[in-house]
Amino acid sequence: MGAFSDVAGSVKSSQKLINLLKGHVSSSPHSLHPVIAGPHIPEERWPNTALLPTQLLEKATHNVLKNKTIAFPAMCYGPDDGDPRLLRNVASWLTKFYQPADPISENRLCITGGASQNLACLLQVFSDPIYTRHVFLVSPAYMLCFRIFEDAGFHTRLRAVPEDDEGIDIDFLERQLEKSEEKAKADGNDEPPLKPSRPWSKIYKYVIYAVPTFSNPSSKTMSLKRREQLVRLARQYDALIITDDVYDFLQWPSSLTTKTLSVDKAVLPRIVDIDRYLDGGADREGADGFGNTASNGSFSKICGPGLRTGWCEGTAKLAHGVSQTGSSRSGGAPSQLTACFVAETLETGELQRYVFEQLQPIYGARYRKMVEAINTHLIPLGVRLPQADREIVGGYFIWLTLPHSLKGANFAQRAKDEENVVVAQIQVPGDTEGSGTSFENDIRICFAWEDEDMLAEGIKRLAQVIRRMLDEHTVNNDDTSLVTAANKPSQDAKDFW
C-alpha cells in the first residue's frame, strides 16, 4: 500500500497531477470500487493534511496523560459502551447541533471504532445472512461499504435503490420490499437460522443503508418528507436503517456570495431523530423498543481519520446491543485511548470551535471555488449538478452528470491520460441494470484533498476533455450520416427497381 497521496499520474501529460478522487490507493486488482484509470482501488476520503488539528490533539494528549486519574483508565480496557466522558460530551454536542425536542441521553450512544467498523458490528448483532432478506443501498452508494456487507454474507443480496431530487425513491423501495416478502413467505424464511436469540439484540428482516446528508458519492441531501416516509416503511417491513451521518457537521450556505460560511445548526433532523419521535417513536404501542434506525457518527471527517473513533446512536436498547458485540465484550469499546483524547478536545470546547471556525469556512471556500469553476466551464457544455436549489450544502464531494453522449468510465480514463486529473466513476456491484441504478454518465469529484488553488484548474482541464469528446462525437455522427447517405439508393434507382 502506497503513501496517502500515491495516485499514479498520467504518463502522457506533463501537467501537474490534480487528484479530484482523493488520496490513497492500494494495488489490489479486485475492483468493486470507483473506476479510475487503471486497476486500483482508492481509499478516497482524505482531508488535506493542512486541515488536521495536530496541535489541538497534542494538547489534549498531554492533558490526558499527565492526569493519572484519566490516563490509567484510558490505557486500560474500557467499558463496553465507551469512555463515559466521551459519551457525555458527544451527547451534549449532538443535542446542541441537532436540537431535538429532548436532550440526547448518553444511553442512546455507544462509542465505536469509526463508522466502517461499527457498520460491521451492527450487521453482526442485528442481521442474519439468511433471515435478513436483502441489504438495500441508496444508489449511487459509498463503495467501500460493499466489502463490509459481503463479509457479513450479503454478497448476492445487495440491491440498489435509485434516488430522485428528494433522495431515496420510496415507491421503488416499497415494490422491492413487497416482492422480497412474497419470496420469503414462499421459501418459509420466517426464523433466523444462524444467529441465536439474545435479550440484547434482534434480527431485522432488512437492512437499508444510506448517507442522507451530503451523500458520498451523490452529494445529495434527502428531504424531510422522504426521511419520514423511509422510517414508516422500515417499521412496516421490520428494516434497520443504517445511516452514515459523518458529513453533517461540514455544512455551509450554498450561496456563492454570502459572507458567512459557518452554520452551527443541522439543516435537517437525522433519520434517527425522526424515528425517536414520529408517531410515538420506538416506544409506541406494539413496538419492541429497538427502533428502526442507527446513526453512524465519526471523528474521521472533523478531526482525523487515523483516530478510528466514532459513535453510534439509536434507542437505548439498540445502543446497548451494539456495545455487546463480541469484539467489544472481549476488550471493551474500541479505540479507548484515542476516545479519551477526543473527549478532552470536546470537554474544553476546542474541537467544536475548530469545526465551526476553521473546517466549515475552509471547506465552504473550496466548495465555492469549485462550483464557480463548474458554472463557468462545465455547465455551458451540458454538465448538470444535483439539487441546485439547496440553501445548505456540505460534505466532501460534488456529483456531476455528463452530457448523455459521454460515458463516465471513458471520461475518467481520458481525464487522467490527457489532462492528469483523477476523478471517480461509481457503481453498485451486481445491481446496475435497473432504471436509476446505472451511472455510466456520472462522475464524482472531491474538493477536500487538493489545495484550493488547484480546484478551478482541475475543472478547466475536465472541460477540455469534455470539449474534445463532444467534438469527436459530432464528427463521428457526421461521418455516420455521410456513410448512410452514400449507401442509400437514389430516388431514381428506387423507382427503377
Side-chain angles (χ1 to χ4, degrees):
M1 192 167 287
F4 58 74
S5 59
D6 182 22
V7 171
S10 171
V11 297
K12 301 177 182 179
S13 174
S14 61
Q15 300 181 93
K16 179 182 177 181
L17 171 68
I18 298 180
N19 183 2
L20 301 184
L21 168 71
K22 283 278 311 83
H24 187 139
V25 203
S26 80
S27 57
S28 170
H30 305 294
S31 180
L32 290 178
H33 304 285
V35 177
I36 60 173
H40 300 289
I41 298 178
E43 167 66 69
E44 38 53 74
R45 300 152 294 150
W46 292 73
N48 188 290
T49 54
L51 300 178
L52 297 175
T54 53
Q55 291 182 324
L56 187 156
L57 280 171
E58 180 184 22
K59 178 180 177 182
T61 300
H62 177 73
N63 289 343
V64 166
L65 294 179
K66 75 176 182 180
N67 185 339
K68 298 300 187 290
T69 62
I70 301 175
F72 289 159
M75 296 186 69
C76 291
Y77 296 113
D80 294 343
D81 58 349
D83 175 61
R85 194 163 66 138
L86 183 56
L87 287 168
R88 182 178 69 251
N89 282 288
V90 168
S92 175
W93 192 18
L94 295 179
T95 298
K96 183 177 180 181
F97 184 72
Y98 290 107
Q99 300 191 344
D102 303 289
I104 295 171
S105 59
E106 296 163 39
N107 67 354
R108 288 179 56 84
L109 298 169
C110 176
I111 302 306
T112 72
S116 295
Q117 183 262 2
N118 188 58
L119 176 57
C121 289
L122 286 165
L123 295 174
Q124 291 174 43
V125 177
F126 296 109
S127 76
D128 179 287
I130 295 176
Y131 178 75
T132 304
R133 291 90 157 107
H134 289 296
V135 173
F136 291 101
L137 302 100
V138 180
S139 189
Y142 165 58
M143 59 282 182
L144 294 183
C145 74
F146 303 152
R147 179 76 64 82
I148 300 171
F149 290 119
E150 290 167 359
D151 287 349
F154 295 105
H155 61 286
T156 63
R157 282 176 289 148
L158 300 181
R159 296 293 181 268
V161 182
E163 289 182 307
D164 59 21
D165 284 342
E166 288 195 71
I168 187 171
D169 186 331
I170 286 291
D171 294 335
F172 179 98
L173 177 59
E174 186 167 15
R175 290 193 299 270
Q176 295 302 309
L177 287 165
E178 289 174 356
K179 187 186 303 183
S180 184
E181 275 302 283
E182 291 173 3
K183 185 177 187 305
K185 290 177 182 177
D187 294 343
N189 185 10
D190 53 9
E191 292 288 339
L194 301 180
K195 297 289 182 74
S197 176
R198 297 172 289 198
W200 39 268
S201 73
K202 65 167 287 185
I203 304 300
Y204 291 85
K205 292 181 179 178
Y206 299 93
V207 171
I208 302 169
Y209 174 81
V211 187
T213 303
F214 318 135
S215 175
N216 176 10
S218 77
S219 68
K220 289 183 178 180
T221 295
M222 193 184 300
S223 72
L224 177 59
K225 175 184 175 182
R226 288 293 166 83
R227 295 175 190 225
E228 292 174 347
Q229 290 175 324
L230 182 58
V231 168
R232 288 194 170 101
L233 199 61
R235 291 174 177 177
Q236 181 182 347
Y237 286 94
D238 190 28
L240 176 62
I241 307 167
I242 302 175
T243 59
D244 271 352
D245 297 322
V246 298
Y247 298 103
D248 288 26
F249 285 101
L250 301 180
Q251 58 172 358
W252 47 84
S254 62
S255 169
L256 302 181
T257 59
T258 183
K259 294 181 179 179
T260 302
L261 285 173
S262 296
V263 181
D264 60 359
K265 299 176 184 177
V267 59
L268 287 171
R270 294 165 300 168
I271 292 175
V272 74
D273 297 321
I274 292 170
D275 190 37
R276 185 179 178 187
Y277 295 110
L278 185 67
D279 302 332
D283 294 322
R284 67 194 182 282
E285 185 178 354
D288 57 22
F290 279 96
N292 292 87
T293 58
S295 171
N296 246 340
S298 176
F299 291 101
S300 293
K301 311 300 181 293
I302 55 179
C303 194
L307 294 170
R308 311 315 301 147
T309 303
W311 66 89
C312 179
E313 182 181 344
T315 64
K317 289 181 71 172
L318 185 134
H320 177 66
V322 174
S323 77
Q324 299 306 293
T325 307
S327 57
S328 293
R329 288 290 295 155
S330 174
S335 303
Q336 171 69 1
L337 182 60
T338 54
C340 293
F341 297 156
V342 174
E344 179 73 15
T345 70
L346 292 173
E347 183 97 351
T348 62
E350 290 178 282
L351 182 56
Q352 299 93 315
R353 288 192 295 274
Y354 182 76
V355 171
F356 183 72
E357 297 174 2
Q358 298 293 325
L359 291 187
Q360 287 188 2
I362 291 172
Y363 281 127
R366 289 164 166 267
Y367 172 89
R368 178 180 292 183
K369 177 78 71 173
M370 185 168 271
V371 170
E372 287 173 342
I374 289 169
N375 288 339
T376 300
H377 301 288
L378 300 187
I379 299 298
L381 298 176
V383 174
R384 289 179 287 124
L385 288 166
Q387 296 183 326
D389 59 346
R390 281 181 294 176
E391 293 184 1
I392 301 294
V393 293
Y396 274 12
F397 308 105
I398 296 175
W399 187 252
L400 298 176
T401 300
L402 302 171
H404 182 70
S405 60
L406 307 188
K407 303 306 179 187
N410 186 29
F411 174 80
Q413 183 72 51
R414 291 189 57 171
K416 179 191 171 184
D417 289 345
E418 299 172 11
E419 296 291 338
N420 213 13
V421 179
V422 184
V423 299
Q425 202 263 337
I426 300 169
Q427 303 282 5
V428 173
D431 193 19
T432 60
E433 300 301 321
S435 175
T437 61
S438 177
F439 306 99
E440 61 179 9
N441 299 109
D442 302 279
I443 62 168
R444 190 206 64 190
I445 56 178
C446 176
F447 51 84
W449 172 255
E450 284 288 355
D451 291 335
E452 184 179 336
D453 60 356
M454 296 303 293
L455 298 176
E457 172 63 22
I459 297 301
K460 291 178 185 177
R461 293 192 204 172
L462 294 182
Q464 295 287 1
V465 180
I466 293 175
R467 287 192 188 93
R468 285 194 288 268
M469 294 180 73
L470 289 175
D471 288 345
E472 291 164 10
H473 179 74
T474 300
V475 169
N476 289 338
N477 280 350
D478 289 345
D479 289 346
T480 301
S481 299
L482 290 172
V483 170
T484 302
N487 291 332
K488 183 178 181 181
S490 67
Q491 187 65 39
D492 290 344
K494 286 196 294 181
D495 291 344
F496 178 82
W497 291 105

